Amino acid sequence: DIVKALLNEKLPDNGSTASCTWQGKTFVITAGPTREAIDPVRYISNHSSGKMGYALAQAAANTGAKVVLVSGPTQLATPKGVQRIDVETAEQMLTAVKQQLTDCDVFIGCAAVSDYRVENISEHKIKKEQNSEPPKLSLVQNPDILKTVAQSANGPFTVGFAAETQNLKENALSKLQRKQLHMIIANDVSESHQGFNSDQNSALILSKDSEQSLPTMSKHDMAIAVIDAIAKRYFDTSNRS
Amino acid sequence: DIVKALLNEKLPDNGSTASCTWQGKTFVITAGPTREAIDPVRYISNHSSGKMGYALAQAAANTGAKVVLVSGPTQLATPKGVQRIDVETAEQMLTAVKQQLTDCDVFIGCAAVSDYRVENISEHKIKKEQNSEPPKLSLVQNPDILKTVAQSANGPFTVGFAAETQNLKENALSKLQRKQLHMIIANDVSESHQGFNSDQNSALILSKDSEQSLPTMSKHDMAIAVIDAIAKRYFDTSNRS
């Protein structure tokens, strides 16, 4: 069929472009951290730099895909040919993602979304009172963007990331099944030379019935490998469940 | 005396260099936010960009001062001629500042130091458990760097900043007295066009018996005005209490 023909028409894999083509398909990719306000000046966030998500957006765009990048606060330039939507909180990210779902073939949730937000955001800066107890921060669970997308009717091919500091494979497989993802990319972020804020990464690409180990490489190269791995499963319709 | 002579030997005030000279004097300036870990990937921080502290470091260095900049995580380049020490947490910042106090004539606490840190930092990433209550974050008070410096024996001329969202002058004056500072620069950060992360600022410079209002101007120009205001009081020994 056409899809197979497209796959056979591979671009040369010179290490800087994915070997598949995604012409006519739309990717929605989330990237970066989210920030959850405590008060007008303080917030909870995480160490995600956004580099991996931006590299994925660039790699997908380079194969001809239309790419929408929904990004938390980062210091990165928008990849060429990519439409970028800036958000701050998890709730804003969910809203932006939902608006893109009507035209989305592949969703990659690469953002490090805050699992929790502060229950009552203080309108004014919380003052440090003398001789008083520090405030207790009550947290509430944020919406699960990845799960929402994966379980939406006629949803896209859904890829998640798992940043773990222990039990990498078990935690990632559990997340794959629990959220009904098509694929999950697992990173060990306890190793300082890779993951968050690093330019290098190694990963385990897991799906229901396959496992691919990627050695330490640049996030640029890893993005290409991930886009290729998605293509392999996406265009082999027998693998889509 | 020599100091008065130095003051009379003013550099031309062309709007880009402070009119005083600080040759032979040492500034220690803190800048940027601090980050307090929740677990290996999450943290509490604030919206400080570090721009004001970096501008102050540059302005002081331009008048001939030796400048040590103790900086939380920022995206800024080190100002020319300035020695920079990078830290992450409030406790690390205090340690670095204390090490510089033996040779410090003027201390400017411009960093937005986290008032609180998390009581028990989780060694591993906190997992979002299904159907369980969100964690409660227990906070403990961080050391007060500004107060520690102001109240140290033979301490430097100590300048603080007050970023307020309400009751600007009252809150700043209370901080000036409570921490026994020589001077405080008060900013209203509730106005979005100035303060945190902005390139513009307006401020109120307060000391025990004087008040100077600075209109909205670039942080570069404000830094020069602040360094000049410090000189006016520092070199007029009758104002030193």
Side-chain angles (χ1 to χ4, degrees):
Chain A
D1 57 37
I2 294 172
V3 157
K4 286 276 162 65
L6 282 172
L7 269 180
N8 288 333
E9 210 178 74
K10 282 185 178 177
L11 296 166
D13 187 358
N14 59 7
S16 72
T17 311
S19 56
C20 53
T21 173
W22 285 96
Q23 204 80 45
K25 300 291 182 187
T26 300
F27 279 67
V28 176
I29 301 174
T30 65
T34 64
R35 279 185 188 165
E36 308 295 333
I38 298 173
D39 65 21
V41 299
R42 302 178 175 95
Y43 60 80
I44 295 177
S45 191
N46 62 63
H47 291 289
S48 170
S49 64
K51 286 175 189 167
M52 191 65 221
Y54 278 58
L56 286 164
Q58 186 65 78
N62 285 350
T63 72
K66 180 190 158 196
V67 180
V68 179
L69 179 63
V70 181
S71 175
T74 73
Q75 300 289 333
L76 304 173
T78 307
K80 216 181 145 199
V82 167
Q83 182 199 336
R84 171 168 163 187
I85 300 171
D86 284 325
V87 296
E88 184 124 326
T89 68
E91 289 180 306
Q92 289 166 3
M93 188 172 273
L94 177 64
T95 302
V97 165
K98 275 183 173 170
Q99 284 167 354
Q100 302 301 321
L101 277 190
T102 47
D103 173 28
C104 174
D105 300 292
V106 177
F107 175 82
I108 311 180
C110 189
V113 180
S114 301
D115 291 321
Y116 308 104
R117 67 177 182 279
V118 176
E119 190 166 21
N120 298 302
I121 300 172
S122 174
E123 191 191 342
H124 291 292
K125 187 182 173 193
I126 300 167
K127 303 293 297 177
K128 182 173 61 171
E129 301 297 342
Q130 299 309 298
N131 308 317
S132 72
E133 287 290 296
K136 286 248 186 307
L137 281 189
S138 265
L139 304 177
V140 291
Q141 206 150 311
N142 263 327
D144 190 326
I145 298 173
L146 199 52
K147 198 172 167 184
T148 304
V149 172
Q151 300 181 2
S152 59
N154 303 310
F157 187 91
T158 304
V159 183
F161 273 74
E164 304 290 344
T165 58
Q166 56 186 345
N167 306 329
L168 184 64
K169 192 175 165 185
E170 300 91 296
N171 281 335
L173 277 177
S174 154
K175 189 169 175 179
L176 177 83
Q177 288 155 7
R178 199 172 63 240
K179 302 198 179 181
Q180 301 174 32
L181 310 177
H182 294 95
M183 186 180 280
I184 195 158
I185 322 293
N187 296 130
D188 185 343
V189 293
S190 69
E191 296 176 43
S192 63
H193 63 281
Q194 62 176 56
F196 281 12
N197 230 331
S198 158
D199 291 320
Q200 299 247 84
N201 227 346
S202 69
L204 208 53
I205 303 184
L206 301 167
S207 62
K208 209 175 47 180
D209 49 17
S210 77
E211 173 177 340
Q212 183 187 350
S213 181
L214 297 178
T216 299
M217 56 177 78
S218 73
K219 289 188 176 175
H220 170 83
D221 289 342
M222 174 147 302
I224 292 168
V226 168
I227 297 298
D228 273 341
I230 295 172
K232 211 177 279 176
R233 295 195 71 79
Y234 180 87
F235 291 113
D236 181 349
T237 47
S238 69
N239 277 326
R240 304 198 61 190
S241 57
Chain B
D1 58 35
I2 293 171
V3 156
K4 287 275 161 65
L6 282 172
L7 270 180
N8 288 334
E9 210 178 77
K10 282 184 177 177
L11 296 166
D13 187 359
N14 60 6
S16 73
T17 311
S19 55
C20 53
T21 174
W22 286 96
Q23 203 80 44
K25 299 291 180 184
T26 299
F27 279 66
V28 176
I29 300 175
T30 64
T34 64
R35 279 185 188 166
E36 308 296 331
I38 297 172
D39 65 22
V41 298
R42 301 177 178 96
Y43 60 80
I44 295 177
S45 192
N46 61 64
H47 291 288
S48 171
S49 63
K51 286 175 189 167
M52 190 66 223
Y54 279 58
L56 285 164
Q58 186 64 79
N62 285 350
T63 72
K66 180 188 158 196
V67 181
V68 179
L69 179 63
V70 180
S71 177
T74 73
Q75 300 289 333
L76 303 173
T78 306
K80 216 180 145 200
V82 167
Q83 182 198 338
R84 172 169 161 184
I85 301 170
D86 284 326
V87 298
E88 184 125 326
T89 68
E91 288 179 307
Q92 289 166 3
M93 188 172 273
L94 177 65
T95 303
V97 165
K98 275 183 172 169
Q99 284 168 353
Q100 301 302 320
L101 278 191
T102 46
D103 174 27
C104 174
D105 299 292
V106 178
F107 175 80
I108 310 180
C110 190
V113 181
S114 301
D115 291 322
Y116 308 103
R117 65 178 184 277
V118 177
E119 189 164 20
N120 298 302
I121 300 172
S122 174
E123 191 191 344
H124 292 293
K125 187 182 171 192
I126 300 167
K127 303 294 297 176
K128 181 172 61 172
E129 301 297 341
Q130 299 309 297
N131 308 319
S132 72
E133 287 290 298
K136 284 249 187 304
L137 282 189
S138 264
L139 304 177
V140 291
Q141 204 150 311
N142 263 326
D144 189 326
I145 298 173
L146 199 51
K147 198 172 165 183
T148 305
V149 173
Q151 300 180 2
S152 61
N154 303 312
F157 187 91
T158 305
V159 183
F161 273 73
E164 304 290 344
T165 58
Q166 56 186 345
N167 305 329
L168 183 64
K169 192 176 166 184
E170 301 89 296
N171 281 337
L173 277 177
S174 152
K175 190 170 175 180
L176 177 83
Q177 288 156 7
R178 199 172 63 239
K179 302 198 180 179
Q180 301 174 31
L181 310 177
H182 294 94
M183 187 180 279
I184 195 157
I185 322 292
N187 295 131
D188 185 343
V189 293
S190 69
E191 297 177 40
S192 63
H193 63 280
Q194 63 175 55
F196 281 14
N197 230 331
S198 159
D199 290 320
Q200 299 250 84
N201 227 345
S202 68
L204 207 53
I205 304 184
L206 301 167
S207 64
K208 209 175 45 179
D209 48 17
S210 76
E211 173 178 339
Q212 182 186 353
S213 181
L214 297 178
T216 301
M217 56 177 78
S218 73
K219 288 186 176 176
H220 170 82
D221 288 342
M222 174 150 299
I224 292 167
V226 168
I227 297 298
D228 273 341
I230 296 172
K232 210 178 282 179
R233 295 194 70 80
Y234 180 86
F235 291 115
D236 181 351
T237 47
S238 68
N239 278 325
R240 303 198 62 189
S241 56

